[in-house]
Every structure is written in C-alpha cells, then in structure tokens.
Amino acid sequence: ALKESTSPSFESARPTFTHRALTKLASLDIIKYVVTQNVDGLHRRSGLPRSKHAVLHGCVFTEKCERCGEEYFRDFDLGGVSFQKTGRQCTQKDCGGDLRDTILDWDDALPEEDWDRSQDECEAAD
C-alpha cells in the first residue's frame, strides 16, 4: 500500500527565525537585497518587501498581470505552473489584464526583471 504524504501545504508553512532575521536586517539596511529560488513565499510572509528581494523561480502565491505587470500576493496556492492564466483580472485602474501564475517550468527562462536586479545587487554587494 502506498503511504499518504504528510508534507505540509504551502499555505500552512510559516516563516522561520531565519526569514524573520533577514527581514529585520533588511529593515535596518544591513542587508540590501535578498535573492531566492524558493517558491514558498516565506520571505514575503515574513514582511520582507518585494522591492527588497528577487524571486527567481516564481511563487505559488503570486500572480502577475500580463498587461501592466502588477503583482498580487495571495494567501492561497494558485496551483499553476508556467504562467497559466488564473481566471482573475488585474484591478489596476484602466488595466483589467489577465493574471497569470509566476511559477517557472523547467524550460521557462528566469524572470528578466528579477534576474537583472539580482545581478546588479550582487555586483554591488560588499
């Protein structure tokens, strides 16, 4: 008989002491920028502003407008992979574009804006 998985869901995962420490250090401007490949959204859940971190492999909780680029961080796993439409639309004024998941599939390129910024921040790091 197959054993049922007892892995926690993304929704039930909580930021660790390390996530909270990084957020505190970033708020004190000791850490300038965080680059992550994690898709669990725990950096953002810990309070780390999106402007202070690159999410290179996407996030199970983030959908992005295909028209204006606005991101929406949800409290539920969107369940998509490879930029599939989520069925919701952007609520930014005069936009209404389709929202898409942000999780990369194996053949997807890294998100250009996050990749470029992470490269710049790493080069500027002391």
Side-chain angles (χ1 to χ4, degrees), residues 19 22-23 26 34 43-53:
H19 291 103
L22 290 172
T23 298
V34 174
H43 289 294
R44 195 133 173 208
R45 281 186 174 185
S46 72
L48 186 65
R50 182 65 173 92
S51 62
K52 290 271 194 175
H53 72 288

Side-chain angles (χ1 to χ4, degrees), residues 29-110:
D29 215 26
I30 294 169
I31 290 178
K32 308 295 184 203
Y33 201 71
V34 174
V35 179
T36 185
Q37 297 178 57
N38 295 344
V39 300
D40 56 23
L42 293 177
H43 289 294
R44 195 133 173 208
R45 281 186 174 185
S46 72
L48 186 65
R50 182 65 173 92
S51 62
K52 290 271 194 175
H53 72 288
V55 183
L56 296 182
H57 290 176
C59 175
V60 298
F61 300 107
T62 302
E63 52 191 339
K64 187 173 182 176
C65 178
E66 66 182 11
R67 188 179 296 163
C68 74
E70 182 72 20
E71 287 187 354
Y72 295 84
F73 188 73
R74 307 296 187 188
D75 59 0
F76 54 89
D77 184 342
L78 298 166
V81 173
S82 198
F83 314 109
Q84 298 300 308
K85 289 182 181 181
T86 63
R88 285 175 286 281
Q89 278 71 45
C90 182
T91 58
Q92 293 297 303
K93 187 176 182 334
D94 299 323
C95 184
D98 289 323
L99 300 182
R100 294 181 176 267
D101 77 83
T102 60
I103 295 290
L104 271 64
D105 202 353
W106 294 107
D107 295 328
D108 294 326
L110 295 174

